[in-house]
Amino acid sequence: MRKLMIAGNWKMNKSPSEAVVLAENFDQKMIKDLRVEVVIAPTLLSLPVVVQKLKNNNSNIRVYAQNCYFKDEGAYTGEVSAKMLKSERVDGVIIGHSERRQIFNESNFLVNEKVKAAINVGLQVILCVGETLIEREEHHVESVIAEQLLEGLAGINDLSSLVIAYEPVWAIGTGKTATPDQAEEVHQFIRKFISDRFNGEMADKCRILYGGSVKASNANELLAKPNIDGALIGGASLKEEEFLSIIDIASRL
Ligand code: PGA
């Protein structure tokens, strides 16, 4: 059985003081169920205070960054390294989110460098993949995802600290969700890809999250699919009731 992961990507929202309040509220109010792993990803600026507060409270919420750079240190203005995140006791990092790919032009090559650097320093990784609307309409979903995985995971032999998030770009922040069947179809494809590229055991163990307009009202039918092992949630993860409800739904599955 794969442990479900419910991950909140807060994107560029919440000041450090607001982030601490939201994180503490989640920690105090959420259902504590060992079968569900809860992750939050505040902005870089909020990471140290949120990590400190949750560790002081002995929380089992995991704190992830939304991005990192692959060099340890040096003349890379504006960047923060995976190594620095690790030294601040951050648990993991989201890599290759479609907003990073589209707005900041991140290539599969750069994504791969970041994945390797993060795993090397001992961070957990959520690697995001997903097709655009045009790619879906032109029936390129599988080839796009396969390329993102092949290039994004180049040089990696062990997936034990990696989770994949399938996030169709057309479903992110748009209110349009992939239907559970559409999502399950791609998740099956990803698991088969991992089985072929790595092996069956890794494919069985690797968690594949769905992301794109997940909310309390659609979480149940998505999470009930056999190959959907959790959710990466943007907008709804900033709303206390919504996010708590999704955790609750996951704990009942
Ligand atoms: P959304 O974002 O839930 O607001 O669609 C998901 C994501 O970008 O990870």
Side-chain angles (χ1 to χ4, degrees), residues 197-217:
R197 158 76 173 75
F198 296 91
N199 58 52
E201 196 191 331
M202 279 196 215
D204 273 348
K205 285 191 179 151
C206 184
R207 288 176 293 178
I208 307 171
L209 315 182
Y210 170 76
S213 300
V214 176
K215 39 192 181 283
S217 59

Side-chain angles (χ1 to χ4, degrees), residues 9 11 97 99 167 171-174 211-214 232-236:
N9 172 11
K11 308 193 179 182
H97 188 279
E99 284 150 18
E167 298 204 302
I172 295 178
T174 57
S213 300
V214 176
L232 180 56
I233 303 156

Side-chain angles (χ1 to χ4, degrees), residues 53-98:
K53 179 58 94 181
L54 292 177
K55 299 266 188 234
N56 286 348
N57 294 356
N58 262 330
S59 170
N60 44 25
I61 295 182
R62 301 275 171 245
V63 182
Y64 280 35
Q66 301 169 16
N67 180 33
C68 66
Y69 199 57
F70 65 91
K71 297 282 188 180
D72 286 347
E73 58 185 28
Y76 305 101
T77 303
E79 294 298 304
V80 166
S81 68
K83 189 179 171 201
M84 289 167 174
L85 294 174
K86 182 66 185 173
S87 70
E88 283 297 310
R89 298 187 297 165
V90 170
D91 298 295
V93 57
I94 299 170
I95 296 179
H97 188 279
S98 68

Side-chain angles (χ1 to χ4, degrees), residues 15-252:
S15 67
S17 53
E18 290 167 340
V20 168
V21 170
L22 190 59
E24 261 207 307
N25 284 345
F26 286 154
D27 186 39
Q28 281 159 11
K29 298 181 187 171
M30 74 182 194
I31 302 270
K32 306 268 185 311
D33 182 336
L34 293 177
R35 291 167 309 150
V36 181
E37 184 177 351
V38 177
V39 167
I40 55 172
T43 68
L44 201 50
L45 198 59
S46 300
L47 286 173
V49 280
V50 170
V51 166
Q52 196 176 8
K53 179 58 94 181
L54 292 177
K55 299 266 188 234
N56 286 348
N57 294 356
N58 262 330
S59 170
N60 44 25
I61 295 182
R62 301 275 171 245
V63 182
Y64 280 35
Q66 301 169 16
N67 180 33
C68 66
Y69 199 57
F70 65 91
K71 297 282 188 180
D72 286 347
E73 58 185 28
Y76 305 101
T77 303
E79 294 298 304
V80 166
S81 68
K83 189 179 171 201
M84 289 167 174
L85 294 174
K86 182 66 185 173
S87 70
E88 283 297 310
R89 298 187 297 165
V90 170
D91 298 295
V93 57
I94 299 170
I95 296 179
H97 188 279
S98 68
E99 284 150 18
R100 303 262 1 138
R101 292 175 187 267
Q102 297 207 312
I103 306 170
F104 303 101
N105 289 321
E106 288 196 7
S107 63
N108 287 333
F109 174 78
L110 182 57
V111 166
N112 177 242
E113 292 292 327
K114 292 182 177 193
V115 170
K116 288 187 289 193
I119 290 178
N120 266 340
V121 298
L123 290 171
Q124 302 291 309
V125 170
I126 298 176
L127 169 64
C128 302
V129 297
E131 82 286 359
T132 63
L133 186 57
I134 296 176
E135 287 162 349
R136 175 164 282 267
E137 283 171 353
E138 293 180 350
H139 308 288
H140 296 320
V141 177
E142 294 189 351
S143 59
V144 169
I145 307 268
E147 190 173 311
Q148 288 172 338
L149 289 173
L150 199 64
E151 296 182 6
L153 295 175
I156 291 179
N157 302 315
D158 179 7
L159 296 183
S160 55
S161 42
L162 189 122
V163 169
I164 292 169
Y166 168 57
E167 298 204 302
V169 179
W170 47 273
I172 295 178
T174 57
K176 283 187 207 151
T177 323
T179 65
D181 287 340
Q182 275 175 327
E184 172 67 11
E185 196 184 341
V186 180
H187 283 231
Q188 274 173 14
F189 172 77
I190 293 173
R191 205 172 299 287
K192 168 87 171 47
F193 177 94
I194 298 170
S195 176
D196 294 345
R197 158 76 173 75
F198 296 91
N199 58 52
E201 196 191 331
M202 279 196 215
D204 273 348
K205 285 191 179 151
C206 184
R207 288 176 293 178
I208 307 171
L209 315 182
Y210 170 76
S213 300
V214 176
K215 39 192 181 283
S217 59
N218 59 23
N220 192 60
E221 50 178 10
L222 287 160
L223 295 175
K225 289 289 179 189
N227 286 290
I228 300 185
D229 309 311
L232 180 56
I233 303 156
S237 72
L238 293 161
K239 297 182 194 145
E240 201 179 297
E241 290 302 315
E242 282 278 316
F243 195 62
L244 288 169
S245 303
I246 298 170
I247 296 168
D248 191 52
I249 288 164
S251 73
R252 286 164 202 274

